[in-house]
Amino acid sequence: MEGVLDIENKKAIEIKGLGKKYESFNDGESQYVLHDINIEVMENEFVCVLGPSGCGKSTLLNLISGYIKPSDGEIDIFGEKVTKASGRAGMVFQEHALMPWLTVKKNIMMGPKLHHKSRNECEEIAQKYINMVGLNGIENYYPRQLSGGMAQRVGIARALANEPKIILMDEPLGALDAMTRENMRRELLNIFQKTKITIFFITHSVQEAVYLADRVIVLKNAVVDCDVKIELDRPRDMKSQTFVKYLEYFESRLGDIPLTSD
Amino acid sequence: MKKRKRNKKELILSITSLILFFTLWQVATYFNQRYGWFNPKFLPAPTDIIKKAITYAGDGTLWLHTSISIRRILIGFMIGGVLSVIVGMIFANQKLVEAWFSPIINLLGPIPPYALLPIIIIWFGIGESSKIGLIAYCTFMTMLPYITDGLKNTPPVLIRAATSLGATNWQIFTKVMIPNAIPNIFVGMKVTLAMTFGALMVSEMLGASKGLGYMIINAKQWFKMDDMFLAIIMIGMIYIFMFGIIQFVEHIVLKWKTDVTNAIEK
Ligand SMILES: Nc1ncnc2c1ncn2[C@@H]1O[C@H](COP(=O)(O)OP(=O)(O)OP(=O)(O)O)[C@@H](O)[C@H]1O
Ligand SMILES: [Mg+2]
């Protein structure tokens, strides 16, 4: 990156020479899903990751969270090496990962409860995020009674209710209709601007990435294809010329056929 | 709503089926008595059994045998169940302990527990402890794999989710693995119940002087077919009752799971 860093800003996530290989089922040979990845995410930065399906985005999040171990390189969170799974970064899972035996509300309360917050406090926090993601009226539903989009919002609320310093989000708005998606983007930016939260956000939507992010990273063919700062003031106008230029740029990067990864 | 309707329909059906069964039985014994197909003593009529039940209920015999059997099964089932939960939890958490003990359990597992009864009697005598011991052992052996499986088959993504919220290992165990195992534990209990009753019968038929199993064996000696059928029906009723209780508790505890979810609604 062109390295315009505020001196006071801390590095929230630092990924250094990260590689991850998986054994292929067919020939038993291992293949890199991620190779020599270098990414720095500053505190209170909003980074979006774009990339075709299967390029290793979820794998990258699992590595940052410490659920899986890197084959090469390392990851630091606030300067401390990730060695095991921990709650240092909140996570919104692509597959929601709600506890099926807990109601919507209890799922959202899970974080505060694990940290032994008082009952009242837990209730308050849960209510706040239920309102925020617009789940009023279904607090007492069980996950199996939810639509995909609802479950996704519960997952977001649950992660936010834990008030993490860093939040990793794996296509968190993918299953939402345009209206809800729009609202959720706004809420997310709202929280982002009000707190010092760092967001590492995976999406398939180029438009969403350019709308939300301070920086967009394109992942392709196991490597970082490009890492671009979005120089637009918020709130962003999706119809402005610069916005459209960014869109076109990323679309061309994604559309590129292999080999161009520099 | 719809579900309740269907339940009602099913209930009516099963009641009708039972009534039909007993009526046929009654009719069969009646014709047997008239035409003498086989010795009528072999198959007493339901009404004879009811008469017998009333006599025995009056002089306290029925309650004596029934209560002792209920007591044995409850205590044995509880002890075996609790032990299997505890051991299952240890196994799920301590791979080393499991590695040490599971070969032994795998060795004992396939041996029908009833085969062990004589040994148990010789070791522990013919008192209550050997009977309850066998029942508990049967319960334990049958239930253990359900519990370990339930705990171990927790979807990794749920464990990850709890971790990402800052759960400690202990919290992952209590807040994720145990709730995840509960459906399995109920399945285990229901499957185990049949084994437990088997153990009860065997232990009461060998070296006992009370209990429904004893009642059957004793009735055989004196060719009291009514007593035998009465005892069998009592066993069936206790079984159904206990099964019903388990199912009832399951329905409440697993509210998040039990109702709905037909693959295809009809
Ligand atoms: N446990 C595993 N063993 C072997 N290969 C794996 C494993 N997990 C993931 N992969 C492979 O790694 C690659 C990246 O998977 P990943 O889930 O990270 O993709 P993704 O970028 O998140 O895709 P999507 O956008 O569809 O969610 C895929 O080719 C997948 O087959
Ligand atoms: Mg993915």
Side-chain angles (χ1 to χ4, degrees), chain A residues 62 67-68 85-87 89-91 93 95 97-101 110-111 113-116 142 144 158-159 162, chain B residues 154 157-168 171 175-177 179-180 254-261:
Chain A
N62 286 334
Y67 305 141
I68 56 177
S86 71
M91 179 102 156
F93 294 83
E95 57 279 67
L98 304 178
M99 304 297 153
W101 50 84
M110 195 165 175
K113 263 192 167 165
L114 289 173
H115 293 105
H116 308 292
Y142 286 100
R144 64 169 163 75
R158 178 178 66 177
N162 205 31
Chain B
T154 310
V157 75
L158 295 186
I159 295 178
R160 289 176 174 181
T163 313
S164 79
L165 294 171
T168 59
Q171 284 173 326
K175 310 264 168 185
V176 185
M177 290 170 77
N180 183 72
L254 298 185
K255 215 172 86 208
W256 57 274
K257 182 161 202 177
T258 38
D259 36 313
V260 298
T261 10

Side-chain angles (χ1 to χ4, degrees), chain B residues 19-38 43-47:
Chain B
I19 291 174
L20 207 68
F21 174 76
F22 283 105
T23 316
L24 274 177
W25 180 355
Q26 185 76 38
V27 171
T29 50
Y30 172 76
F31 280 110
N32 185 35
Q33 224 138 38
R34 265 191 92 160
Y35 301 110
W37 295 325
F38 54 83
L43 184 67
T47 43

